[in-house]
Structure formats: structure tokens, C-alpha cells
Amino acid sequence: MRKIIVCDDVELERQLLKDILHEYFEEIHEEICVEEYSSGEVLIADAEEGYLEGELLFLDIYMDQLNGMETARKLRALSCNIPIIFLTASPDFAVESYEVQASGYLLKSFSEEKIKKLLNRILKTDMQRRVAIKSKRQYRYPYTDDIVYVESDKHTITLHLSDQSEIVAQDKLIEIEKRIDEKRFLHCHQSYLVNMDYIKDVKEDFELQDGTIIPIRVRGRKEVLDKYNEYFASHFE
């Protein structure tokens, strides 16, 4: 059973995080126990008594009396090496978080996707989704994380992957979009489906991290840009 610790002085915030954690571990078919703390003082008291056990600690920075950063410093002074993910409404302590070897830094209100990615990395679980693509006479199963964009030309679609390889198949773009079924994939043009995680800038069109330009349709351009702005605000700000 996985044991996760959540320390936040706001009960509603603790409950929100607990719901996401339970959903995550249910998806990977693992049992979870979430230990809750409403203050850094009680957390430190249990650590001093040797009662603090867990694989991961979600620690709010802005708490009354002993804040999260001070709590983390005390934990490290007690030789408690539990991985810490800071929760905060401000990036003010981002640099200081490295002093206590923080494993993550989440700005509220955090997204489920960001939390799940952190859990994948820290707990070494594999929640990466894959999609089946029939290429010629065999099936390929790329991770959706690795799909940068999908390009359509008549009845041929090309998946461009992050390692610069390609998968070519006879299919329809709208069918690929349905199979991937992830909000981060934006149908920005009749011939393009782009993974918004790889967008670096928006000018006349989308510019990707490798410099590739992905066109934005003229008709419905505002809708496309609104969807990207909404995604950007919830994931990267």
C-alpha cells in the first residue's frame, strides 16, 4: 500500500488533493493511504517521535505559524528524506525549495495532469497513455506524450514524434483525434492536430519547440487561440 502525506491548513485544499490522489492510484490499481496534517507543528512533532512514514509529502508553503519552508528545513534537520512537493499560491519560494531538495513545486490551483506527471516521475509508476496506430501491416503503439503533432494529407496521416521519427498510416485525422482523446491535443487546422505541450510561441501560427510552424485555421481562429490560452493558463502559468 502506498502512503502519501498531505500537510495543508485548509481542509478544502486537502480534500481536493486527496480526491486526485485516490483517482490516480485507482487508475493504476494500487491501494493508497493518505495521512493528513493541518499544521507543520504537528507534522514535525510526529517526525521527532519517529511516527512520520510515507513515500511522498505534499506540503503547503503558506500556513499559519510554521510555514511549509520552515517545516521542510526542520524535517531535513531531523534527517527525514521523504520527497517533498510544495503547494503554494505564489512562486516566491521556488528558489529556496532547492535548498531542501524539493521534488516538485505546484502552483495552486494545480491541475490533475501536473500532479499525475509528478507522481509518475517520483513514484516511478507508468501512467503514460498509448494509442494504437495501424501502419502498413502492423500496429504501432506510441505514447501520447511523445506525439508532437499529427499531419493529414488526403487519407494519409503522419504522426511526428518527439525523437523526430514518424509513423505513417492510412487513416483520418478526426479518427486519430477521437482515439487519442486528450484535451492537450488541439485540432487547430483541418490538416493538423497539435500537442499543446510542445507549443513554444504563438504568432501568426503556432511555433513548436523545435521551430516547426503549425498553421492555425483562418475560420475559427479565435476559438483555437482561446482553447490554447485556456490550456496555457491552467498548465504553465
Side-chain angles (χ1 to χ4, degrees):
M1 177 182 288
R2 301 275 193 172
K3 186 172 182 180
I4 309 296
I5 301 167
V6 176
C7 183
D8 193 318
D9 59 354
V10 179
E11 184 178 1
L12 184 62
E13 298 283 359
R14 296 199 305 271
Q15 186 60 51
L16 174 62
L17 182 54
K18 280 173 57 181
D19 290 344
I20 295 174
L21 289 171
H22 281 291
E23 179 184 330
Y24 172 87
F25 283 98
E26 185 177 333
E27 288 177 357
I28 61 175
H29 308 292
E30 289 194 31
E31 293 185 358
I32 179 180
C33 172
V34 179
E35 187 80 19
E36 293 183 65
Y37 289 88
S38 59
S39 73
E41 290 85 354
V42 178
L43 181 72
I44 294 299
D46 275 4
E48 290 174 337
E49 295 294 328
Y51 297 139
L52 191 68
E53 294 181 0
E55 294 184 59
L56 183 62
L57 167 62
F58 286 89
L59 181 59
D60 185 30
I61 286 185
Y62 290 100
M63 297 188 291
D64 291 336
Q65 297 181 17
L66 195 65
N67 68 33
M69 193 58 64
E70 293 166 339
T71 301
R73 290 194 181 102
K74 287 182 179 291
L75 287 175
R76 295 305 186 231
L78 292 169
S79 298
C80 178
N81 296 317
I82 184 172
I84 296 173
I85 294 178
F86 283 115
L87 308 173
T88 180
S90 167
D92 292 347
F93 289 92
V95 175
E96 289 182 60
S97 68
Y98 291 101
E99 298 175 11
V100 291
Q101 296 86 48
S103 298
Y105 196 92
L106 288 172
L107 290 176
K108 298 178 181 180
S109 55
F110 39 75
S111 68
E112 292 184 32
E113 186 174 349
K114 278 190 173 182
I115 291 176
K116 289 179 178 181
K117 282 184 177 181
L118 275 173
L119 290 168
N120 289 343
R121 174 171 61 82
I122 297 168
L123 300 180
K124 309 299 183 186
T125 57
D126 186 4
M127 282 286 289
Q128 285 184 293
R129 292 189 65 250
R130 302 171 84 173
V131 60
I133 303 293
K134 189 174 183 180
S135 179
K136 296 181 179 178
R137 295 184 178 181
Q138 66 178 11
Y139 277 94
R140 303 281 300 278
Y141 303 92
Y143 289 107
T144 57
D145 281 353
D146 295 333
I147 301 173
V148 180
Y149 67 98
V150 185
E151 183 179 6
S152 173
D153 182 11
K154 297 179 181 178
H155 296 295
T156 300
I157 61 104
T158 303
L159 281 75
H160 297 264
L161 307 182
S162 58
D163 63 0
Q164 297 186 329
S165 64
E166 297 177 353
I167 298 176
V168 179
Q170 299 299 307
D171 214 325
K172 296 180 180 179
L173 189 62
I174 192 169
E175 293 301 321
I176 298 297
E177 181 181 11
K178 288 178 181 177
R179 261 183 278 160
I180 293 176
D181 191 27
E182 293 184 20
K183 291 181 180 179
R184 60 178 165 167
F185 283 85
L186 178 60
H187 201 154
C188 60
H189 184 277
Q190 64 178 1
S191 300
Y192 288 88
L193 181 69
V194 63
N195 184 340
M196 290 187 280
D197 288 345
Y198 289 93
I199 294 175
K200 181 178 72 174
D201 200 1
V202 185
K203 297 176 182 176
E204 289 300 315
D205 295 302
F206 288 128
E207 181 180 348
L208 304 187
Q209 294 169 2
D210 65 357
T212 299
I213 301 299
I214 302 295
I216 300 172
R217 63 176 181 262
V218 175
R219 186 174 182 180
R221 176 182 174 86
K222 182 180 183 302
E223 180 186 356
V224 170
L225 294 178
D226 285 347
K227 285 184 178 180
Y228 177 68
N229 288 335
E230 181 181 349
Y231 183 81
F232 178 87
S234 63
H235 289 76
F236 300 112
E237 286 189 337

